[in-house]
Amino acid sequence: MIGGGMNSRPLLRAVWQSAVVGARISGRNSPAWCSGLLHALLRRALPCRTVHVTPKLSNVKGTVQPVEEELGPFTKLIEAMGFTGPLKYSKWKIKIAGLRMYTCCVERINYDELFERCNLSDTLNSWFLVAQLHVWMSLVRMKQEGREGKYMCKYIVHSMWEDLEQRGKVMGVQSVVLKENIRVMTENFYAAIFGYDEGILSDDRVLAASLWRHLFNKQCEDPRQLELMVEYVRKQVQYLDSVNGEDLLLTGEVKWRPLLEDNPQSIVKPISPAYNDEGL
């Protein structure tokens, strides 16, 4: 028992500091024990004061909550100047994965079925409207992967404009006309991005209105076509959310779900793609 008087105060102070240090070290492992010890010490030394320490409860499932990445002063400085700082993966790996993801947006789509079901004309503009819809869904998914995902988004969009320019040259479009068309498409693309973002965060009516404006060019009179595309976008976004983010950053592989399927509400956990140490 700790005696009273002036001689007991240094000893009490030492016991108090030891208890506080022990609570800080083992607070998460045994919060109830630490709380009881602190309360007992304070009750013995200061009978008129009561200290209550609320224990920090852990998650029931024991899952680790994501922690935002803390950037150093050098990284903040170079990114404030418009450059990209060090990333978790090498930039060339992310660029290759971004190019692959864009390729999946333009080569793994059944355009004939989409044009037929949605009554779209088979033109370069219709191809671009369908491609930008899938590019937007890819951007929505990759923006969830931190700084690496945002860097990959930039290269996906960069690959899209390069591809569009090359397709225009192959079709024999004059450079002046092609430049003007790309400028108009750029404005329409970013307008569509804002519209689709609003739609995916809202109900089906808002998403249907955005698809009517940007995909159908306000020329859809069949509500069944809008209903089909709303269901198509919802299930694609849900599917992309089920894919592991690290796999997407390293491979960029996306297998889009078909336009029509028996059970569109079912999401099968995709098999993780195989890749080597170089991300190839």
Side-chain angles (χ1 to χ4, degrees), residues 37-89:
L37 176 61
L38 295 176
H39 181 72
L41 290 173
L42 288 173
R43 182 179 58 187
R44 186 182 295 264
L46 301 173
C48 60
R49 302 178 66 181
T50 302
V51 175
H52 176 72
V53 179
T54 304
K56 182 178 180 181
L57 300 178
S58 59
N59 196 327
V60 177
K61 296 182 179 180
T63 56
V64 180
Q65 298 297 329
V67 180
E68 294 185 1
E69 181 181 2
E70 295 184 1
L71 303 181
F74 176 73
T75 303
K76 292 181 179 179
L77 175 62
I78 61 178
E79 292 196 349
M81 297 173 62
F83 300 97
T84 302
L87 301 175
K88 183 169 58 174
Y89 306 108

Side-chain angles (χ1 to χ4, degrees), residues 37-261:
L37 176 61
L38 295 176
H39 181 72
L41 290 173
L42 288 173
R43 182 179 58 187
R44 186 182 295 264
L46 301 173
C48 60
R49 302 178 66 181
T50 302
V51 175
H52 176 72
V53 179
T54 304
K56 182 178 180 181
L57 300 178
S58 59
N59 196 327
V60 177
K61 296 182 179 180
T63 56
V64 180
Q65 298 297 329
V67 180
E68 294 185 1
E69 181 181 2
E70 295 184 1
L71 303 181
F74 176 73
T75 303
K76 292 181 179 179
L77 175 62
I78 61 178
E79 292 196 349
M81 297 173 62
F83 300 97
T84 302
L87 301 175
K88 183 169 58 174
Y89 306 108
S90 64
K91 296 179 182 179
W92 71 267
K93 289 183 182 180
I94 299 179
K95 285 184 178 181
I96 293 176
L99 180 59
R100 285 179 176 172
M101 183 169 290
Y102 170 73
T103 303
C104 294
C105 293
V106 297
E107 294 187 357
R108 293 188 177 178
I109 307 300
N110 192 341
Y111 288 95
D112 294 335
E113 183 182 22
L114 278 169
F115 289 168
E116 180 181 357
R117 293 286 182 178
C118 298
N119 195 24
L120 299 174
S121 57
D122 189 2
T123 61
L124 177 62
N125 184 61
S126 297
W127 170 88
F128 174 72
L129 294 177
V130 174
Q132 80 170 0
L133 176 64
H134 292 81
V135 167
W136 163 74
M137 290 188 287
S138 300
L139 299 181
V140 170
R141 177 61 183 90
M142 297 316 300
K143 286 180 180 179
Q144 304 176 31
E145 298 302 320
R147 296 171 58 248
E148 290 78 13
K150 293 179 181 179
Y151 181 79
M152 187 172 175
C153 289
K154 294 179 181 178
Y155 200 76
I156 293 174
V157 176
H158 174 76
S159 301
M160 179 183 68
W161 297 127
E162 280 196 345
D163 181 41
L164 187 63
E165 184 177 0
Q166 292 299 323
R167 289 175 185 269
K169 292 180 179 179
V170 171
M171 296 177 62
V173 181
Q174 297 181 359
S175 59
V176 177
V177 178
L178 180 60
K179 184 177 181 180
E180 178 63 22
N181 290 340
I182 291 180
R183 185 191 64 81
V184 174
M185 289 181 175
T186 302
E187 295 177 355
N188 294 336
F189 172 73
Y190 288 107
I193 290 295
F194 285 112
Y196 290 149
D197 283 344
E198 181 184 9
I200 201 65
L201 295 174
S202 305
D203 55 20
D204 291 343
R205 293 177 297 178
V206 179
L207 180 58
S210 180
L211 291 168
W212 179 74
R213 290 193 304 269
H214 302 292
L215 179 64
F216 293 94
N217 279 328
K218 304 179 181 179
Q219 296 179 358
C220 178
E221 298 180 358
D222 189 350
R224 292 173 298 180
Q225 296 176 353
L226 285 174
E227 181 183 5
L228 178 64
M229 289 308 300
V230 167
E231 180 184 277
Y232 179 76
V233 170
R234 294 287 187 190
K235 70 181 180 182
Q236 297 295 0
V237 172
Q238 186 182 7
Y239 164 74
L240 290 175
D241 286 340
S242 67
V243 182
N244 182 269
E246 184 177 358
D247 294 336
L248 293 175
L249 284 172
L250 292 176
T251 66
E253 291 289 336
V254 176
K255 295 182 179 179
W256 302 100
R257 303 186 70 185
L259 179 62
L260 299 176
E261 51 188 338

Side-chain angles (χ1 to χ4, degrees), residues 1-15 45:
M1 178 177 180
I2 301 175
M6 297 296 294
N7 295 333
S8 64
R9 291 182 180 179
L11 179 60
L12 178 61
R13 186 179 298 109
V15 174

